[in-house]
Amino acid sequence: MKKALLISICLVAGLSVRAGETRESSVLAWDSLRHEVRLGYGDPLFESATKYEITHIGKPNTEVLYLTGHLFAEYQYSWLWWLSTGMQVDFNSMGWRDLRDPASTHNYYNLSFLPTIRFSYYRHPWVTLYSSAFVGLTINGGTETDPVRHKKTICYPGFGITALGVQVGHKGFFGTVEIGGLCALQNENDIVMLMSRIFSVSIGYRFNN
């Protein structure tokens, strides 16, 4: 009886050690993939509010033709398992037309170039939790002329955060879900994005040279 119990304890201990080694090796293998690229889509909640303002308040005879939401691409390089830096490019646009002149169409776009820094605070073979911050430049342009600057293309400071990001992946491929926000403004009266892209998803790939 004692011999059988001793054998069982040894087997359980061996399996636990093996599982721990497997988990550790999986984490190390994932962390060794230092380059990361991803493509994503973010919600247009702020732009939807702008759409409502245009069609119901500012220009009631206006029909919105399209609203892209946020399309973004990002590259990251991992310096440590918990620290990476990179660059993100984000694009969103909206088009509309005056119902009194259907042949006349208008649009605006925001193109953001955002250096990023990411901090990971939980690692598992399949799951990583992280937060990030980005600060850069947003180019606002389109068919409309700014009434103050009398220009069609204006540059704004662009910045934002990922309050919580969840990355799930294995063998290089992964997907993410993020909660955060993206802003671009000069002051409280000159805003092109305010906590836009609150929710976003992406797919990506990690690799070495």
Side-chain angles (χ1 to χ4, degrees):
M1 182 66 180
K2 291 182 178 180
K3 185 177 181 180
L5 180 60
L6 181 60
I7 292 173
S8 299
I9 293 174
C10 291
L11 286 173
V12 171
L15 290 174
S16 299
V17 171
R18 180 62 182 275
E21 291 176 348
T22 301
R23 178 185 184 279
E24 183 177 359
S25 63
S26 297
V27 171
L28 290 174
W30 183 262
D31 290 339
S32 68
L33 304 176
R34 293 186 176 274
H35 301 275
E36 175 186 306
V37 291
R38 65 186 182 119
L39 299 174
Y41 177 81
D43 72 79
L45 292 179
F46 175 81
E47 289 76 20
S48 295
T50 303
K51 168 185 172 182
Y52 180 86
E53 181 180 1
I54 289 176
T55 57
H56 291 77
I57 301 174
K59 301 176 181 179
N61 293 311
T62 297
E63 176 188 18
V64 172
L65 301 176
Y66 64 85
L67 185 61
T68 64
H70 288 264
L71 307 171
F72 64 91
E74 184 180 271
Y75 167 79
Q76 288 280 326
Y77 180 82
S78 296
W79 301 94
L80 300 166
W81 75 265
W82 55 271
L83 175 66
S84 65
T85 57
M87 172 66 75
Q88 184 179 120
V89 179
D90 180 277
F91 175 84
N92 72 289
S93 178
M94 183 170 74
W96 67 93
R97 67 182 176 187
D98 191 329
L99 294 176
R100 294 166 297 186
D101 183 13
S104 177
T105 60
H106 307 270
N107 67 77
Y108 80 81
Y109 67 85
N110 294 310
L111 179 62
S112 300
F113 298 91
L114 304 165
T116 66
I117 183 169
R118 180 192 297 174
F119 301 96
S120 300
Y121 45 85
Y122 175 76
R123 288 289 290 110
H124 184 273
W126 288 75
V127 180
T128 301
L129 302 182
Y130 61 90
S131 297
S132 62
F134 29 90
V135 178
L137 177 72
T138 295
I139 301 172
N140 173 259
T143 58
E144 299 292 279
T145 300
D146 183 89
V148 177
R149 300 177 182 85
H150 306 291
K151 297 179 180 179
K152 290 187 177 182
T153 303
I154 303 173
C155 294
Y156 291 82
F159 57 92
I161 62 168
T162 299
L164 174 62
V166 181
Q167 184 183 90
V168 180
H170 186 57
K171 293 185 178 180
F173 294 96
F174 66 86
T176 70
V177 178
E178 296 179 341
I179 300 173
L182 180 61
C183 304
L185 53 90
Q186 293 281 8
N187 53 57
E188 67 274 12
N189 298 316
D190 192 0
I191 301 171
V192 294
M193 287 189 291
L194 185 63
M195 292 308 291
S196 189
R197 208 183 80 183
I198 296 175
F199 303 100
S200 64
V201 296
S202 74
I203 56 173
Y205 184 68
R206 295 187 66 150
F207 60 95
N208 280 322
N209 288 335

